[in-house]
Every structure is written in structure tokens, then in C-alpha cells.
Amino acid sequence: MLRQWFGSLVNRAVALVVAAVLVTALVLTLANSFLSRGELEKQARGQVETIAELVASELDDRLRRRLDTLSHVAGNLTMSEEAFRGRARVIVQQQVALQHQFDGVYLIGAGGEVLAETPEKYHQTGLDVSDRDYFKIASSQLTPVISAPYLSNYQNLPALMIAAPIFDHKGRFIGMIGGAMTLQSGRLMKDIARVRIGHTGYVRVITRDGATVISSPGEAPLKTADPDNPVFRDAMSGFEGTRLGRNGDGKTSIMSVRQLAQVPWFVVAVWPEREAFAPITRIADAFVWILLGVVAIVVPLALWRFRRLMAPLKTLGLQIQESHLGDRNRPVDISGGLEIRQVAETFNRVMDERNDVLSHLAEREAFFRSLTRSAPIGIVQTDVLGRIEFVNPAYENIMGRTQEELAGTFIMETVHPDTRARILDGWRVALHHQSIYRTRLRLDTPIRLGEVWVDVMSTVIGTPDKTLGTITVVQDITHELEVEEALRQEQHRAESILGVLQEGVLMVDVNGVIRYANLAACRFLGIEGDWSDHPFFQNITVETEDRVWSREDFLTSEELDSLYCTLRNTADEVFDIDLTMLHIRQGLHNERMVFVLRDDTTRRREEERLSWEATHDSLTQLLNRRAFTASLVKVLGEAGRQDVPSVLMLIDLDHFKPVNDEGGHLVGDDLLRRLAELFKDSVRSSDTVARLGGDEFGIILPACGLTRAETLAEKIRTSVESLRIEQDGRSYGVTTSIGLTEVSPRDSGPREVMARADEGTYAAKSRGRNAVVVVPVPPDDGDDGA
């Protein structure tokens, strides 16, 4: 019954309308739900993230302020250990600011004994806290510390200790001052524990070790967080962000994690998903009732309207049937809706075109057969199954068989058996897609003709809605293949010779496309595998000292012999090469350029090595006196154009000879190398550092200014003073006498500047060494006056 009901187009249309209404409603519902859920989720995530961020920022700020305050107080308590222990009670009672920020303030001795406390209601004085982690860290690392949460000695309440070490006037550790806070009920986190998100959301603070710092009322202190919760597990590893997870009740919730900066803790803001998305459920229920009402109204109206619209279609079907049986010679009537009238018009037009095609078909076939008989290439016509219906004389000559012998046979039987299966598969695919099939194949011809190879092009004959057969064009290429094989053998011999050469040989056309490259050339170009059709000038860059060579440069230049240049390929490999270039058929459309590339790396590296050795000190790797003097000459030339003057610094080592005499030259050489590294690390990359000879060094500071240079010199002096080398139980070191002077445009040359700076080193030595002396530029004679 259901199949019979759907047999009616009217019923199908009504069903389609109802389905469209339902699908539209479903799409709108899903889209609304998705968009609403997305917007609610975005808002909920934003709210949870904001609360987590605010709580984390507030908690970080509170911890930081308390740590800074405690560190400041500890820094002001510098005294002897006896005074510290004797005045402990008075000191702790004076810390009024700390009493407002901590639940308890304690002074602890160097051995871990609590010396004094405030308020005294906790009765911690005299206790030994040396086993506490905060005491061990603060006393060993001598830095302020925020402890991990622990169970305090007072009623086992969970607490947190912030401690800062205290030193005497000689920098020795004599104890520490600590501020303790109970966690949930204390001053630090009491209000944070009461934060709520909606009605059921909440905030937790957990350490990276999994201990809960802020938990729900009634939970055990420092309860371990659920390690199976993926959000908690990732947060313990440093994760920070927002995603869905399950809370302690197993409910899916939006969970936002923010890591604290002051301590290895993280804040988790949790809001159950059901509460966050509750408005969506209420909207969906109301939408379902509205949809049911719309469907109840649309179905009866659609049935009545579609039955009226489809009535002319039945009449049109009867007239078409009469025309098909030959009972109707006139066109069908055109009436009804637009679509039904278009069907009637199309049917009448197709009948007229069919009669015209049938009348001209015989005439066209006769014209085709007369045309193909005089064609110089073979032509074959087949039916839709591939059976030969017609061949021209040229094809008869290629096959060595007549039209009568070939008619009715399958065209694939003319293909040699070795390739018949492959050709048949490709031919079928091309005909199925009504595309042109092109291939090269061997024909199955009589033995007297030998091997016959042909180029084949086959296409479909037919109308847009029907295939009538195929037409195939066949050209004999047997002689051309023999010539190609001879040329291929000659090319193979040439390539074999070029392939064993160490030099890269390649040929490119005027557009820069590679036409040949041997293995050595491929290595230079960074090409692996097939080199054909690669763009040569896009794969490489050829540079000489004065320019970068382009394709136009090579085309317009004469033949090149031994062009020393640098070649860089797309793999960023750089080669120093000796390049030779020849023109073939220069000026013609088929011009070619032949390049020969020889690796010139070894020769250039030797030149670079000799150049480096001529300008550098072999022991310290710094510039030598000659290179230093050249740099100073350059700076002198630029002195008049600089707003901030350049500065010359000469460094003379104090007491270096005893190091060589007592520790040996190896120790002295090691010390010189370390000093060279110290000097290079102390200055800018644009500054020049050199060893001028023996224990004398020089530094050029371009556009530095004398004030900054003097500060830098003091830094170098103190760094050298603290540098020591241990050898056989003895410690070796030197100090420096440093002379500074500005580079003036009035200086006649580097010798004058060097003399002033050298004067500073002598003055430093005369003052007892280990000093920095600035030598001013002498005033110009024209500077005297008002």
C-alpha cells in the first residue's frame, strides 16, 4: 500500500514538501543549537577563563607582595648572630607590617630552632624545624623561598611558609625570618575558597605534586587530586588552557587551568556543562511543538494544490503514446504549467530534428567515404563493438590486407598480441569518457612486411546522447623509429663519456631550461633524479666579487673562460667554482649555452687560510697588531662624522710574567686564551678586539662615548681580577692596567692615539696597577679664549 501511494507524483510532491519542512526545521534546529551552543560555550569558556585568570593573578600578587615584604625585612636585619639570637623576641614583635600579612611571624636560628614568634598563641618557640623543606632550601640556597603546603605543628592545620635568610655583616647565614599562613581559613586564601561560578561551579588551587591547596569544606587537608583526571594530569605537567573534562562528581564540565608564577601551583576553575548550556534545552522543546503545528497545516493544502497542477501531464502522456504508435501525425498539444509546456515543445522539436537527421545521414556517409579514400594516412571506421566497417587504401597498404579481408573483424585483432591487452584497456577507458585515445603500437602484419609500428589516434563517432562507433587515424612511423634508435645510441655514448667527468657539464636553452646535465652538474645544482626541464637560473645563483650574473648577462656576453665565482643552489649549498661558458648557434632561435663547472673550493680555502693567519693571533684567535692598526685607521677616518666619539682602550696585564715563570707557558697560554674570550664576551659584536703582542691587548669601541667606555673598562678590570686558573693546587691570575682615550678628528694618525692610551696604562701602573686611567684629548690651540 505504501509503494502504491508513493507511485503518485502528487503524493511524492506532498511527501517532498513535508520532508523539506522537516529537514528545514531540523537544519534550523541543529544550526540554532550549534550556534547557540557555540555562543554559550564561548561565553562560558570566557567566564571560566576570566575567573581562573583573576584568581591566579590575585594569588600570585598576594604571594609576591608577601615575599617582597619579607625579603625587604630580612635585608634590614643584618647583625651579628649573638645580637640576632639575643634580640629575637624584640625584633619579631616590631614587625607590625608582617603581622598584618601573615597568621604567624617567626625568627628561626641557623640550626633550625624557633627563637621567637608573634603571636605567641601558637606556642612554636623552641621547636626544631630543621627537617622542614622550607628551612633546608632557604639555608642551603640562601634565597627567599615559598614552601610547599604542609601540615603545621599547630593542630595539624594545612599551612604555607614564606621564609627569607638573614646574614651577618660578613655575609654569613645566621638564621631566617618566616611568615606562616593557614590555607583555607587564613588571610591568604579565605576569600578565594568561597569563589563560585553559577550555582555549582567552583575554584580549586592544586600544587604540581597533586596536593589540593584550596578544596571543598569537609575535605581532608592537602587531599591528593585525582591523578586519572586528564586535565589535572596535564596541568601537573605545565598545561595551561581551557577544555572539557570531568569534575569530582563525574559530570562533564568546562575546566580552565592557569599556572601560578610565584609557586609551582595551578588554579582550576570548574563549571558543569549541564548548567552552562541549560538555555539550549528549553529553546529546543518549544521549537518541536511549533514544528508539529506547521506540518498539520501544510499537508492538506499541498495535496489539494498539487493534484490541480498535475492534471495536464496525464493528457500529454496519452498524446505522446499516440505519436509513438503512429496514430498521431500532428504535434502534441501545448498546455498546462510552464514545465509541462516545455516538455511538449521539446518533444515536438526532437521529432522534427529526428526526421532531418535520418534524411541527411545517407548523404553524409557517402561524402565521408569518398574523402577518406584519397587520404595519405590510414583511416579505419568501426561500430560500437569495435568491428571494422570501412578502411581506406592507405590503411590497406599499411596492413597488407584488403577491405574485404578486414571487414567484420575486430580492430584489436590488428594489434600485435604482445601489447593487445594493454591497448584494449586504454581504448575502452577513452571511449567510456568519450575522449581521444592516442598511443604508439605494433601491428600484427604478415611476415613479409616485417615489424610495422604506427601512431594511432582514435575518437568516438556519435550524437550527444548516443555512440555510433569510432574513427581511427593510423600513421606508419617504422622508418622514423629506426632513425630515432640510431640517434639514441649516439646520445648514450656521449652521455657515458660526460658522466664520468669530474667537471659539471650542462646545456641550457635561451630561456634557461636545462637540456642536458651530467652527474657532476646535478651535484652542483642540488638536483636528485631527473634533471630534464629544470630552470637553470632559478635553481642557482652565480656571484662574483662585483655582481650577480643573470640569464641576460650570460646571453649577451662573449664566451667565458675561467670565471672564478660562487654558486649557490636551492638547497642553500655553496660552491666555489671555476666556470667556462660556450655559445652554440649564437643569435639563432635554437641557441644553446654550454657550461663547464670545476670545483675551486680547495684553492680558495687555502687563500682564506693564509689571509686569516696574516691578520690574526694564532694563540688567542684575536686580530693581530697589523689588523688592529688598519681598523684604527678606519675609525680615525670616520671620527669627524660621528655624533658620539669612538674610544681606544689599551689593556696591559699586571704580574703576567710570574704566571709563566711559576706555572709554565702552558698555564700562561691558557690564561691568555681565557682572557681573550672574556674580552670578546664583554664588548659588542661591532667592536674590535686584538692581541697587540705578549701581554698587551687593544679594543676599539666605535661611537661608544667615553662614559660608557669607562664603565666597560671597570667591568673588564673586575672580571679579569676574579678570573683564576687552578694548576697543581695553586691558583694563578692577573690584574689589568687599562688606558682609555677618545679618537679625535684632530689626531694625525694611529700612533698619536695609541700613545695617549699607552700613557694611560703607564699611569695606571704607577698608581699601583689594577686601575683604569682616562687620558683626555689635548685641547686645540684655537680653543683658548672666552
Side-chain angles (χ1 to χ4, degrees):
M1 182 180 295
L2 185 62
R3 182 179 300 174
Q4 183 179 1
W5 190 86
F6 273 105
S8 170
L9 289 176
V10 173
N11 295 340
R12 291 184 185 179
V14 173
L16 181 61
V17 170
V18 174
V21 172
L22 293 175
V23 170
T24 301
L26 179 61
V27 170
L28 289 175
T29 303
L30 293 176
N32 181 63
S33 176
F34 177 78
L35 293 175
S36 300
R37 182 183 177 89
E39 187 62 28
L40 282 174
E41 182 176 359
K42 181 179 179 181
Q43 295 177 2
R45 280 177 174 264
Q47 185 173 349
V48 174
E49 289 173 355
T50 300
I51 292 175
E53 182 67 29
L54 288 174
V55 171
S57 299
E58 177 63 21
L59 192 52
D60 260 334
D61 185 61
R62 292 180 182 183
L63 291 172
R64 179 187 55 76
R65 283 189 282 107
R66 285 165 169 78
L67 182 62
D68 291 345
T69 302
L70 202 66
S71 300
H72 177 72
V73 171
N76 293 329
L77 293 180
T78 303
M79 62 184 68
S80 66
E81 185 172 4
E82 292 77 9
F84 175 69
R85 297 181 66 88
R87 299 179 57 202
R89 184 172 182 182
V90 175
I91 292 171
V92 77
Q93 290 177 352
Q94 291 175 344
Q95 308 306 321
V96 178
L98 296 182
Q99 294 174 22
H100 289 291
Q101 297 188 34
F102 295 96
D103 296 323
V105 180
Y106 304 93
L107 282 182
I108 303 171
E113 177 188 0
V114 178
L115 302 177
E117 62 178 320
T118 183
E120 299 180 350
K121 64 179 182 179
Y122 297 120
H123 306 294
Q124 303 295 303
T125 303
L127 290 179
D128 184 4
V129 295
S130 59
D131 58 338
R132 293 290 191 184
D133 289 339
Y134 64 81
F135 180 82
K136 295 177 181 179
I137 295 173
S139 61
S140 60
Q141 297 182 2
L142 302 180
T143 58
V145 63
I146 301 176
S147 75
Y150 62 92
L151 292 178
S152 68
N153 295 324
Y154 181 73
Q155 298 181 359
N156 281 336
L157 292 175
L160 173 74
M161 174 68 76
I162 301 178
I166 300 173
F167 306 94
D168 62 10
H169 295 288
K170 296 182 178 180
R172 290 194 298 259
F173 174 72
I174 62 172
M176 66 180 67
I177 183 168
M181 295 169 286
T182 56
L183 294 181
Q184 294 184 342
S185 61
R187 304 168 188 241
L188 181 64
M189 303 182 187
K190 185 175 183 180
D191 52 344
I192 295 176
R194 292 197 296 265
V195 173
R196 288 292 178 269
I197 309 172
H199 296 291
T200 58
Y202 55 87
V203 172
R204 294 286 179 269
V205 179
I206 303 171
T207 70
R208 292 276 186 89
D209 297 331
T212 302
V213 180
I214 295 181
S215 58
S216 299
E219 289 184 350
L222 302 182
K223 176 184 176 182
T224 301
D226 182 8
D228 296 328
N229 189 314
V231 177
F232 289 172
R233 185 172 59 249
D234 292 346
M236 293 175 191
S237 300
F239 164 75
E240 189 174 54
T242 303
R243 63 186 184 190
L244 293 179
R246 294 190 178 276
N247 62 10
D249 298 331
K251 298 178 181 177
T252 301
S253 303
I254 300 174
M255 309 180 76
S256 182
V257 178
R258 287 294 179 274
Q259 302 286 343
L260 296 184
Q262 298 296 325
V263 288
W265 302 354
F266 57 90
V267 174
V268 182
V270 181
W271 195 8
E273 187 181 39
R274 183 170 183 179
E275 180 184 349
F277 301 150
I280 297 177
T281 305
R282 294 192 294 270
I283 295 173
D285 293 341
F287 194 80
V288 170
W289 287 107
I290 296 174
L291 177 61
L292 293 175
V294 172
V295 171
I297 296 172
V298 168
V299 171
L301 290 175
L303 281 170
W304 171 75
R305 184 58 182 165
F306 284 139
R307 284 197 177 98
R308 292 195 61 183
L309 291 174
M310 297 300 290
L313 188 60
K314 183 177 181 181
T315 303
L316 177 61
L318 294 174
Q319 293 179 3
I320 291 175
Q321 185 177 7
E322 291 174 356
S323 298
H324 178 69
L325 296 175
D327 297 335
R328 186 182 181 89
N329 295 324
R330 64 183 185 277
V332 297
D333 296 334
I334 300 175
S335 62
L338 176 62
E339 291 79 8
I340 298 176
R341 292 199 303 273
Q342 288 178 344
V343 171
E345 291 173 353
T346 302
F347 178 78
N348 290 334
R349 186 167 59 253
V350 168
M351 292 298 294
D352 293 339
E353 292 175 354
R354 175 176 174 272
N355 294 332
D356 290 340
V357 170
L358 291 176
S359 64
H360 295 302
L361 185 59
E363 179 182 346
R364 293 181 178 179
E365 183 175 357
F367 174 75
F368 166 75
R369 291 180 182 273
S370 63
L371 181 64
T372 56
R373 285 189 179 278
S374 59
I377 58 176
I379 299 176
V380 185
Q381 179 187 347
T382 70
D383 60 15
V384 293
L385 298 178
R387 291 175 298 201
I388 297 176
E389 294 181 340
F390 168 78
V391 298
N392 69 341
Y395 187 75
E396 291 178 334
N397 293 333
I398 293 173
M399 287 299 303
R401 299 168 67 184
T402 63
Q403 161 80 26
E404 290 74 17
E405 293 174 327
L406 294 170
T409 63
F410 289 96
I411 190 172
M412 286 300 157
E413 293 179 1
T414 65
V415 180
H416 196 275
D418 293 345
T419 58
R420 187 176 297 167
R422 176 179 61 82
I423 299 298
L424 179 59
D425 291 339
W427 184 74
R428 285 174 174 170
V429 171
L431 296 188
H432 176 71
H433 293 91
Q434 294 192 346
S435 60
I436 297 176
Y437 177 62
R438 295 182 176 87
T439 189
R440 176 176 292 183
L441 54 85
R442 178 185 173 190
L443 294 177
D444 188 14
T445 54
I447 298 177
R448 59 185 174 83
L449 296 179
E451 286 189 3
V452 177
W453 287 85
V454 293
D455 272 339
V456 175
M457 182 173 65
S458 183
T459 187
V460 174
I461 303 175
T463 63
D465 57 350
K466 184 178 181 181
T467 300
L468 302 177
T470 65
I471 185 74
T472 304
V473 178
V474 182
Q475 183 176 7
D476 189 350
I477 58 169
T478 304
H479 178 67
E480 287 83 347
L481 291 181
E482 292 174 353
V483 174
E484 287 181 4
E485 179 60 25
L487 292 175
R488 190 179 299 110
Q489 292 178 0
E490 290 297 327
Q491 182 179 358
H492 178 70
R493 281 193 290 270
E495 290 178 353
S496 298
I497 296 172
L498 293 174
V500 299
L501 295 177
Q502 296 297 319
E503 292 83 359
V505 179
L506 58 92
M507 180 171 62
V508 301
D509 61 19
V510 293
N511 295 318
V513 177
I514 298 175
R515 296 303 181 185
Y516 172 77
N518 65 355
L519 291 176
C522 291
R523 179 175 64 85
F524 285 117
L525 302 181
I527 298 175
E528 296 183 0
D530 187 15
W531 46 261
S532 59
D533 295 332
H534 273 72
F536 174 63
F537 294 104
Q538 295 179 19
N539 280 345
I540 59 96
T541 301
V542 177
E543 300 180 18
T544 57
E545 292 182 355
D546 56 344
R547 61 169 166 163
V548 177
W549 285 69
S550 65
R551 178 176 64 90
E552 290 74 15
D553 293 334
F554 285 109
L555 280 173
T556 56
S557 68
E558 298 297 329
E559 294 182 350
L560 301 174
D561 186 17
S562 295
L563 175 67
Y564 295 110
C565 56
T566 300
L567 183 146
R568 183 187 303 273
N569 59 30
T570 54
D572 209 26
E573 297 176 315
V574 179
F575 299 93
D576 295 323
I577 61 171
D578 178 2
L579 182 146
T580 298
M581 188 271 292
L582 305 174
H583 288 285
I584 299 178
R585 299 186 294 274
Q586 187 172 11
L588 301 179
H589 72 283
N590 58 347
E591 178 182 349
R592 297 289 186 265
M593 292 180 287
V594 177
F595 291 88
V596 180
L597 310 176
R598 303 177 185 86
D599 194 341
D600 197 37
T601 303
T602 302
R603 182 187 65 80
R604 295 196 189 185
R605 286 181 178 174
E606 181 63 19
E607 289 181 355
E608 291 175 358
R609 184 185 66 81
L610 294 175
S611 175
W612 189 92
E613 289 179 353
T615 57
H616 286 75
D617 176 57
S618 59
L619 175 63
T620 62
Q621 312 299 308
L622 298 177
L623 293 178
N624 58 20
R625 179 179 288 272
R626 178 187 301 172
F628 183 80
T629 302
S631 297
L632 185 55
V633 170
K634 180 180 178 182
V635 171
L636 279 168
E638 298 172 349
R641 301 189 298 271
Q642 293 178 337
D643 296 332
V644 179
S646 301
V647 177
L648 171 64
M649 180 190 303
L650 290 185
I651 303 172
D652 200 352
L653 303 184
D654 303 326
H655 312 298
F656 179 70
K657 187 175 184 303
V659 175
N660 267 341
D661 295 342
E662 299 173 12
H665 287 286
L666 293 179
V667 174
D669 291 347
D670 188 23
L671 179 59
L672 289 175
R673 283 191 289 266
R674 293 196 189 185
L675 289 172
E677 291 297 324
L678 185 151
F679 296 152
K680 287 192 293 185
D681 293 342
S682 299
V683 301
R684 301 167 298 182
S685 59
S686 59
D687 298 336
T688 302
V689 183
R691 183 187 179 196
L692 305 180
D695 57 358
E696 185 180 4
F697 294 84
I699 300 177
I700 301 173
L701 305 169
C704 176
L706 195 57
T707 302
R708 290 179 56 191
E710 189 172 1
T711 302
L712 175 62
E714 284 293 339
K715 177 183 175 183
I716 291 175
R717 184 191 63 77
T718 55
S719 299
V720 172
E721 184 180 11
S722 61
L723 178 63
R724 310 294 296 179
I725 295 180
E726 303 295 332
Q727 177 73 19
D728 296 333
R730 295 190 59 183
S731 178
Y732 299 93
V734 294
T735 59
T736 55
S737 295
I738 302 176
L740 289 178
T741 187
E742 290 183 357
V743 178
S744 173
R746 302 193 302 269
D747 289 324
S748 60
R751 180 173 299 179
E752 184 177 351
V753 185
M754 293 280 288
R756 280 203 309 274
D758 207 21
E759 182 182 343
T761 62
Y762 285 124
K765 287 183 179 294
S766 66
R767 297 178 187 179
R769 295 184 172 85
N770 194 22
V772 175
V773 175
V774 177
V775 179
V777 177
D780 192 357
D781 293 340
D783 292 343
D784 296 336

